[in-house]
Amino acid sequence: MERWRGRVALVTGASVGIGAAIAVELVRCGMKVVGCARDVGKIQKLAAECQSAGHPGVLVPYKCDLTKEEDILSMFAAIKQQHKGVDVCINNAGLGLPAPLLNGKTSSWRTMMDLNVLALCICTREAYQSMKARNVDDGHIININSLCGHQVFPVAELHIYNATKFAVTALTEGLRQELRAENTRIRATSISPGLVDTEFISRLYSDNPEKNTSIYSEYKSLKAIDVVGAVTYALSAPPHVQIGDIQFESV
């Protein structure tokens, strides 16, 4: 990770869970990390903790509603003005809502599509354009995917979420192909963990706490730090090594 010291990373959904853990680790490795979320207060607290711990990098909180393109574009403009641009983009933000195909709410489907797919696409485009404008040829775009992006599980309330993550799988491969066509060494990686012990399930089943408890008692789960390890593994690979997809689960 030494070659990333002093460089700029954007981590979306950095207020809790996987995103927060990634942001803190990159700061520990000496990066300037712009962490964005709607709840910026939690990121401000993380930033203070990083500073108190003496980490060599810095965490810069940024309030952004990723379902609004204008918010994303304003964020990238601010990053350009304050930090010149993005060298690493980690598209972590995402959510699952209990909305089956047969009787789910259209508003829930749209929210998942807007955040899990469109926001990821917009951040990817803007990150690439930032790198291209500065002749950055060793940047990295990492999409935090899921095993749900590779397998449809028999859980009705997750099927639209499944669809958004299958989209992430296709988009990451499409991104790699477009980057090759542009003759750049900017890399693209999809990281697909299984069940992770974060706020995801409690949010998914916010109206059914017993369901939340039963899932974690029935299935072994990963920790956020396990996903962090996959991210740093991909970032630490030599510049000529393309790590396309990392799939893993707890045993």
Side-chain angles (χ1 to χ4, degrees), residues 155 195 214-221 250:
V155 182
L195 179 65
S214 69
I215 286 177
Y216 283 116
S217 61
E218 185 176 353
Y219 300 100
K220 291 184 178 180
S221 60
S250 182

Side-chain angles (χ1 to χ4, degrees), residues 3 18 24-25 28 42 47 54 65 75 84 105 109 112 119 127 153 155 160 188 220 225 241 243 250:
R3 72 186 181 90
I18 294 170
V24 169
E25 177 61 16
R28 193 187 69 80
K42 292 181 179 179
D65 183 346
M75 176 176 65
K84 297 185 179 179
K105 294 181 179 178
W109 298 347
M112 285 187 278
F153 295 94
V155 182
I160 301 299
K220 291 184 178 180
I225 193 65
V241 175
I243 298 174
S250 182

